[in-house]
Amino acid sequence: VRRNGARALRPAAVVVAAAVTLGGVLLALFPGMVHPWLDAIEAAAPAVQEAFLTPSERAVRRGSLESIERSGAMLDAAGMLQRDAQWGTRPVDEAQRERLTQFLAGRRELVAGDRMVLRTLRTHARQRQRWWLGIPMAVAGAGTVMVLVRRRARDYLAS
């Protein structure tokens, strides 16, 4: 880099631009596909996904996330009680044990339902992201690759 300046970084820039192009094309063509890069961005900044949801979908998303958090706390507490009962450290009669088992099963079903709602909302957001993120990424990435490759060819011919 010291000797050749920014030219030394051109191959890496071409690879990054090609990856952006590929990510954009895949998002535009296959929004239902798993996009780890977009999942990581949405995990770090949930507003990226929420920007592509309607106001009612945002409210449902927030409600589902809160429900999952509440249910997680309940499952942890009930799971500890169940373990204590299994190891005999806390006396629990058979009827309580059965209710506890049913509670855990029911609460796990509710969490699974909330997670399904979140997956559905992510699918809705991806359908919208394909146009507003995928196509611009593909165009910008391809344009950057073309510019960088042309400059490399021009530099090669000049030398």
Side-chain angles (χ1 to χ4, degrees), residues 144-156:
T144 303
V145 167
M146 287 176 28
V147 166
L148 292 172
V149 168
R150 277 189 178 171
R151 284 187 183 168
R152 179 180 163 100
R154 188 176 59 217
D155 291 347
Y156 179 75

Side-chain angles (χ1 to χ4, degrees), residues 12-142:
V14 169
V15 169
V16 169
V20 168
T21 303
L22 180 62
V25 167
L26 289 175
L27 178 58
L29 294 178
F30 308 106
M33 183 177 131
V34 175
H35 299 281
W37 61 272
L38 190 50
D39 291 338
I41 291 170
E42 289 172 348
V48 172
Q49 184 183 65
E50 286 188 4
F52 294 93
L53 296 174
T54 65
S56 62
E57 288 172 336
R58 282 187 212 122
V60 169
R61 181 179 185 277
R62 275 186 241 111
S64 292
L65 289 172
E66 290 169 4
S67 176
I68 288 172
E69 190 174 325
R70 272 192 317 274
S71 293
M74 289 180 190
L75 285 169
D76 289 343
M80 286 175 46
L81 178 62
Q82 187 179 40
R83 282 189 294 277
D84 289 348
Q86 285 175 341
W87 289 99
T89 57
R90 183 177 288 181
V92 176
D93 65 23
E94 194 58 39
Q96 288 176 321
R97 191 174 297 199
E98 181 62 30
R99 282 195 310 269
L100 182 61
T101 301
Q102 290 174 1
F103 171 79
L104 287 170
R107 189 53 62 175
R108 286 185 187 117
E109 286 295 319
L110 290 172
V111 170
D114 284 328
R115 288 194 175 131
M116 186 176 72
V117 167
L118 292 176
R119 282 192 303 273
T120 300
L121 291 174
R122 184 183 64 206
T123 300
H124 291 182
R126 292 286 161 87
Q127 289 295 328
R128 296 170 190 130
Q129 288 169 335
R130 76 188 302 181
W131 306 115
W132 295 101
L133 291 178
I135 292 174
M137 281 176 54
V139 170

